[in-house]
């Protein structure tokens, strides 16, 4: 169990039989004195939950997930595109149905750290070798570790500021990447979209900080 004020997360590796005889990650979360559980494969609930976390809580969650970056156990459920991300850039990876906890934990890390921005990285837990385009097998430890090393490095070097485009772009480096990353718009388009989103977020936050000016309905117009 992680030590953090008002926020704790415990991740349990569960034996499951769904599409396959394999495993899944179950999350037990204590947030602001409220205990909650997220079942294995429940991306929808993880997505909603990630939007409620602070930056420090997101990093803490991702650090807990990193314990599974080198776990090549078979996931018990088939790979699927996840809505809402899949409706934006998602392309189904034909010919591959199996994933591992290593890939799954990095995929969930995308969701936890980057929320809506996950669509620029991955819409499903499928990896490819960038230069050959070959899909990475769920238990290909050599290929998977090339990407997990980038994630470990990211978590070790996050600064005290909010998560930014620079953090996300660090995960594009290396010879192995996410399947959907082959189909995203060019970097100029991504930068423009993310910049607009960041500016919109800043504007919304400023508006929240401003005191609400309520007009006196009984006041006569001057």
């Amino acid at each position: 169990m992680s030590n953090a004020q008002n926020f704790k997360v415990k991740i349990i590796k569960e034996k499951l039989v769904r599409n396959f005889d394999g495993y899944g990650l179950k999350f037990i979360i204590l947030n602001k004195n409220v205990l909650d559980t997220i079942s294995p494969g429940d991306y929808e609930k993880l997505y909603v939950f990630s939007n409620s976390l602070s930056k420090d809580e997101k990093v803490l969650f991702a650090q807990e997930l990193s314990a599974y970056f080198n776990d090549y156990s078979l996931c018990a459920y088939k790979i699927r595109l996840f809505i809402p991300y899949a409706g934006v850039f998602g392309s189904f990876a034909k010919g591959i149905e199996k994933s591992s906890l290593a890939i799954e934990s990095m995929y969930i890390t995308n969701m936890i750290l980057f929320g809506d921005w996950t669509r620029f990285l991955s819409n499903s837990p499928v990896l490819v070798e960038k230069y050959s385009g070959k899909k990475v097998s769920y238990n290909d430890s050599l290929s998977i570790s090339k990407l997990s090393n980038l994630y470990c490095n990211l978590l070790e070097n996050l600064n005290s500021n909010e998560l930014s485009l620079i953090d996300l772009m660090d995960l594009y480096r290396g010879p192995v990447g996410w399947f959907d990353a082959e189909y995203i718009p060019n970097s100029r388009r991504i930068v423009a979209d993310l910049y607009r989103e960041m500016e919109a977020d800043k504007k919304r936050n400023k508006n929240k900080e401003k005191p609400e000016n309520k007009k006196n309905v009984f006041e006569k117009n001057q």
Side-chain angles (χ1 to χ4, degrees):
M1 188 74 79
S2 302
N3 296 319
Q5 188 175 8
N6 298 324
F7 181 79
K8 295 181 180 179
V9 57
K10 184 176 183 180
I11 304 175
I12 299 173
K13 178 181 176 179
E14 280 195 343
K15 180 69 175 175
L16 300 170
V17 180
R18 292 188 183 174
N19 305 111
F20 311 108
D21 185 356
Y23 296 86
L25 298 178
K26 179 180 179 179
F27 305 94
I28 300 175
I29 299 156
L30 182 63
N31 190 22
K32 298 179 179 65
N33 296 318
V34 177
L35 190 65
D36 198 3
T37 300
I38 301 178
S39 301
D42 192 347
Y43 298 147
E44 289 81 2
K45 190 170 182 178
L46 277 166
Y47 166 70
V48 172
F49 176 73
S50 69
N51 290 328
S52 70
L53 298 179
S54 69
K55 187 254 185 174
D56 289 340
E57 290 167 345
K58 290 180 179 184
V59 172
L60 175 61
F61 200 128
Q63 288 172 338
E64 293 294 323
L65 280 163
S66 69
Y68 295 92
F69 287 176
N70 297 313
D71 189 332
Y72 307 106
S73 303
L74 176 65
C75 274
Y77 33 89
K78 285 183 180 180
I79 288 169
R80 66 184 176 94
L81 286 172
F82 170 57
I83 303 297
Y85 308 136
V88 184
F89 299 126
S91 298
F92 187 71
K94 295 180 180 179
I96 186 166
E97 294 184 334
K98 297 179 179 179
S99 186
S100 62
L101 293 185
I103 299 173
E104 175 85 344
S105 59
M106 287 188 285
Y107 177 67
I108 295 173
T109 295
N110 293 345
M111 198 181 305
I112 295 297
L113 287 182
F114 300 113
D116 289 342
W117 291 357
T118 299
R119 67 181 182 270
F120 294 111
L121 282 172
S122 59
N123 293 290
S124 60
V126 179
L127 301 181
V128 294
E129 295 177 0
K130 290 183 179 179
Y131 302 112
S132 68
K134 178 183 176 183
K135 299 179 184 71
V136 174
S137 174
Y138 76 92
N139 57 357
D140 183 348
S141 59
L142 180 61
S143 295
I144 295 171
S145 65
K146 291 176 182 177
L147 183 62
S148 65
N149 288 339
L150 291 179
Y151 278 81
C152 290
N153 186 63
L154 172 67
L155 292 175
E156 289 175 2
N157 293 289
L158 284 174
N159 57 37
S160 58
N161 298 322
E162 290 299 310
L163 292 160
S164 70
L165 170 64
I166 302 301
D167 300 316
L168 184 146
M169 295 301 288
D170 282 343
L171 298 174
Y172 287 105
R173 301 173 182 175
V176 174
W178 296 97
F179 173 78
D180 290 281
E182 298 296 315
Y183 300 94
I184 60 176
N186 60 46
S187 59
R188 183 176 297 177
R189 167 71 184 278
I190 294 172
V191 171
D193 286 350
L194 291 179
Y195 179 78
R196 281 194 293 270
E197 288 191 21
M198 286 188 289
E199 289 300 306
D201 284 340
K202 287 179 183 178
K203 188 174 182 179
R204 282 193 292 269
N205 291 333
K206 285 182 179 179
N207 289 337
K208 288 179 182 179
E209 294 172 0
K210 291 180 180 179
E212 186 177 357
N213 294 321
K214 294 184 178 180
K215 185 177 179 180
N216 187 341
V217 295
F218 298 105
E219 184 179 16
K220 293 181 179 180
N221 293 328
Q222 299 297 324

